[in-house]
Amino acid sequence: MTDDADIDPTLEPDVFSRDCASRGVLQDATSRWGLLALVALRDGELRFSALRRRVDGVSERMLSSTLQSLERDGFIDREVLQAIPPKVEYSLTDLGAEVADRLAGLIDLVEGRLPEVEKSRQDYDAR
Amino acid sequence: MTDDADIDPTLEPDVFSRDCASRGVLQDATSRWGLLALVALRDGELRFSALRRRVDGVSERMLSSTLQSLERDGFIDREVLQAIPPKVEYSLTDLGAEVADRLAGLIDLVEGRLPEVEKSRQDYDAR
């Protein structure tokens, strides 16, 4: 049972407020490795080793810590399959899938406009 | 004049590739302060001091460095207005506005589902 009595219902989450928990959640979802792990799982569940190959460049330790944060936030599920040796599979929750959809839209935009960004950087550096 | 001859047209930007520049651009746009600055500017241009009040908790130095990265990427314009003392105004470019729209969608989702995330965190920590 959750006791909601001490939560002020007039206090809506606001990312512009320095104490709002939404800031930390956004950082989990958009961290260098969190963003890639979430979007990688849009194609279906993956085992740790497959996820690590997909998220090119991440260390075992960083991927492990990233997945723990995402699981804690309720963005991914971690399932241990009965096998010898045991297999662990990761998949998106419904909420995680919604977050990943939005991240994928952002990635598509940035990838598609990358030449424009690179031109802007060249102009800026040449000033 | 740009010499495109040495750019391999078959190499599309791919954020999953460790050397792709899109990774760094995404990190600029989704950094703790970059994300808030971009979304704050959706309501119209702002001077530095107003932007700093809106992005609650950021230091002058961090905001300044964040705005430089965003300007270099071509996401924001910086205009110096003739006045005594000179005034500096920041506004979104067309590309920056598209990025900010997508970030705002992500923020709306996370703010709206924050109770669900907090419940998930409580359950995870109670295991």
Side-chain angles (χ1 to χ4, degrees):
Chain A
M1 296 274 281
T2 314
D3 178 13
D4 286 337
D6 55 348
I7 297 179
D8 180 348
T10 65
L11 268 183
E12 293 288 332
D14 174 14
V15 76
F16 283 103
S17 171
R18 74 175 79 189
D19 294 325
C20 186
S22 60
R23 283 195 181 179
V25 179
L26 277 164
Q27 286 311 300
D28 288 343
T30 63
S31 71
R32 179 176 295 264
W33 306 121
L35 174 146
L36 293 175
L38 286 169
V39 174
L41 289 170
R42 288 178 85 219
D43 294 333
E45 72 239 350
L46 286 174
R47 287 167 53 194
F48 186 88
S49 52
L51 197 44
R52 194 175 160 214
R53 277 192 300 275
R54 183 84 179 102
V55 181
D56 186 28
V58 70
S59 70
E60 258 190 56
R61 178 186 297 231
M62 276 308 303
L63 182 56
S64 174
S65 134
T66 297
L67 293 173
Q68 276 173 35
S69 295
L70 296 177
E71 186 190 358
R72 182 169 179 265
D73 289 340
F75 294 155
I76 63 173
D77 278 328
R78 178 179 184 277
E79 191 184 5
V80 181
L81 305 173
Q82 299 297 335
I84 300 170
K87 297 176 181 176
V88 181
E89 267 188 1
Y90 296 89
S91 58
L92 294 176
T93 62
D94 291 344
L95 176 56
E98 289 192 53
V99 171
D101 285 350
R102 281 164 176 76
L103 293 174
L106 180 66
I107 288 173
D108 284 347
L109 174 65
V110 167
E111 286 180 346
R113 306 287 282 273
L114 196 57
E116 199 173 321
V117 173
E118 289 181 327
K119 173 75 167 60
S120 170
R121 287 178 167 189
Q122 283 170 14
D123 293 348
Y124 186 96
D125 293 344
R127 277 189 205 166
Chain B
M1 296 273 282
T2 314
D3 178 13
D4 286 336
D6 56 349
I7 297 178
D8 180 346
T10 65
L11 268 183
E12 294 288 331
D14 174 15
V15 76
F16 282 103
S17 170
R18 75 175 77 189
D19 294 325
C20 186
S22 60
R23 283 195 180 178
V25 179
L26 278 163
Q27 286 311 300
D28 288 343
T30 62
S31 71
R32 177 174 298 263
W33 307 120
L35 175 146
L36 294 174
L38 286 169
V39 175
L41 290 170
R42 287 178 86 220
D43 294 333
E45 72 238 349
L46 286 174
R47 286 168 52 194
F48 186 88
S49 52
L51 197 45
R52 192 173 163 215
R53 278 192 299 275
R54 183 82 180 105
V55 181
D56 186 28
V58 71
S59 70
E60 258 190 54
R61 179 188 295 235
M62 275 308 302
L63 183 55
S64 174
S65 133
T66 297
L67 294 173
Q68 276 173 33
S69 296
L70 296 177
E71 187 190 358
R72 181 169 179 266
D73 290 339
F75 294 155
I76 63 173
D77 278 328
R78 178 180 184 277
E79 191 183 6
V80 182
L81 305 174
Q82 299 297 336
I84 300 169
K87 296 174 181 176
V88 181
E89 266 187 1
Y90 296 89
S91 58
L92 293 177
T93 62
D94 291 344
L95 176 56
E98 289 191 52
V99 171
D101 285 351
R102 281 164 176 76
L103 293 174
L106 181 65
I107 289 173
D108 284 348
L109 175 65
V110 167
E111 285 180 347
R113 306 288 281 275
L114 196 57
E116 198 173 321
V117 172
E118 289 181 327
K119 174 75 167 59
S120 170
R121 288 178 167 189
Q122 281 168 16
D123 293 348
Y124 185 95
D125 293 343
R127 279 189 203 167

